[in-house]
């Protein structure tokens, strides 16, 4: 709608949300609509083939309690619009799907004590990574914070990045002391803090239990 009648109406899916090819959910002002002021809450999986956008206004984020499955066909079909995606389920959640195009999250929040696992592709974050609760398990996929000194909030023995495969955790920084909250498995926290005086660059970390 082109009026503001429903921008603050709860936007909740009780189970899985499937957006098929050719379909879309725009939380922003595309096609004359208005920016949503409340989050899209999905209590199951997001199965994304069509297009999904976050709102262009504060409050219009995406909260997910299931898996993130992006099965778009080599296209950019997710438009975060500087809104956050929060994984806040109660069992392990996956980020995966068959889409081979890397579509960065703007803000990514992990708030699940059971953790989140990368299962199919590399994940990038443009603005901020929040490790509120739980671990991110990389397996053979990479997690990268784009941009210079992109903030990471959190990082402790209960919420860190697990580098249990060939996947690496990458950050870009200059002369700022930069934390890599990493560990080789879900029970071993082995953080690394680095600082450099040279040119800013992407520096990747992967920690193993043994050489």
């Amino acid at each position: 709608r082109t009026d503001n009648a429903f921008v603050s109406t709860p936007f909740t899916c009780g189970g899985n949300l499937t957006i098929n090819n050719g379909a879309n959910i725009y939380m922003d002002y595309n096609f004359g609509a208005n920016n949503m002021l409340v989050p899209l809450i999905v209590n199951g999986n997001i199965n994304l083939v069509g297009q999904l956008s976050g709102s262009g206004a504060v409050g219009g984020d995406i909260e997910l309690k299931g898996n993130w499955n992006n099965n778009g066909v080599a296209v950019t079909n997710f438009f975060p619009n500087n809104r956050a995606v929060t994984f806040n389920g109660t069992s392990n959640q996956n980020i995966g799907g068959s889409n081979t195009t890397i579509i960065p999250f703007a803000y990514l929040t992990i708030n699940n004590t059971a953790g989140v696992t990368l299962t199919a592709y590399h994940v990038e974050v443009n603005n901020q990574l929040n490790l509120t609760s739980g671990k991110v398990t990389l397996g053979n996929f990479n997690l990268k914070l784009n941009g210079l000194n992109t903030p990471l909030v959190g990082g402790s023995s209960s919420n860190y990045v697990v580098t249990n495969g060939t996947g690496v955790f990458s950050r870009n920084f200059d002369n700022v002391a930069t934390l890599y909250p990493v560990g080789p498995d879900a029970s071993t926290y082995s953080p690394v803090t680095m600082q450099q005086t040279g040119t800013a660059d992407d520096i990747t970390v992967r920690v193993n239990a043994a050489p």
Side-chain angles (χ1 to χ4, degrees):
R1 294 179 53 149
T2 56
D3 57 30
N4 289 315
F6 297 104
V7 294
S8 297
T9 301
F11 196 23
T12 302
C13 179
N16 297 332
L17 173 63
T18 298
I19 305 176
N20 290 317
N21 189 28
N24 55 69
I25 293 180
Y26 294 134
M27 297 176 66
D28 61 356
Y29 53 82
N30 277 297
F31 300 106
N34 289 277
N35 286 304
M36 293 295 295
L37 302 177
V38 293
L40 166 63
I41 299 172
V42 180
N43 288 301
N45 303 328
I46 287 181
N47 301 309
L48 180 60
V49 180
Q51 296 186 336
L52 171 65
S53 75
S55 174
V58 173
D61 302 310
I62 298 171
E63 299 179 11
L64 176 63
K65 299 187 184 302
N67 299 325
W68 178 278
N69 301 312
N70 189 336
N71 294 311
V73 184
V75 294
T76 300
N77 60 341
F78 171 56
F79 308 92
N81 281 334
N82 282 326
R83 300 273 65 82
V85 175
T86 296
F87 288 78
N88 58 1
T90 56
S91 59
N92 184 261
Q93 296 172 264
N94 295 332
I95 300 178
S98 59
N99 192 349
T100 58
T101 300
I102 296 178
I103 307 170
F105 293 98
Y107 296 84
L108 177 62
T109 297
I110 308 301
N111 189 18
N112 179 356
T113 56
V116 173
T117 302
L118 310 191
T119 61
Y121 53 75
H122 307 306
V123 168
E124 297 182 359
V125 181
N126 282 343
N127 296 338
Q128 184 166 294
L129 173 63
N130 297 301
L131 297 176
T132 303
S133 178
K135 305 172 181 72
V136 182
T137 301
L138 300 188
N140 295 328
F141 302 99
N142 301 334
L143 173 61
K144 180 182 180 182
L145 303 190
N146 294 325
L148 177 63
N149 299 323
T150 295
L152 184 155
V153 177
S156 72
S157 59
S158 60
N159 46 297
Y160 60 89
V161 178
V162 178
T163 60
N164 61 330
T166 59
V168 298
F169 181 30
S170 178
R171 304 189 67 177
N172 184 291
F173 62 93
D174 47 22
N175 61 349
V176 177
T178 300
L179 172 67
Y180 288 76
V182 294
D185 54 55
S187 59
T188 307
Y189 183 46
S190 305
V192 176
T193 298
M194 288 189 286
Q195 187 170 355
Q196 63 163 336
T197 57
T199 303
D201 203 355
D202 292 325
I203 297 178
T204 62
V205 165
R206 176 166 63 92
V207 58
N208 291 330

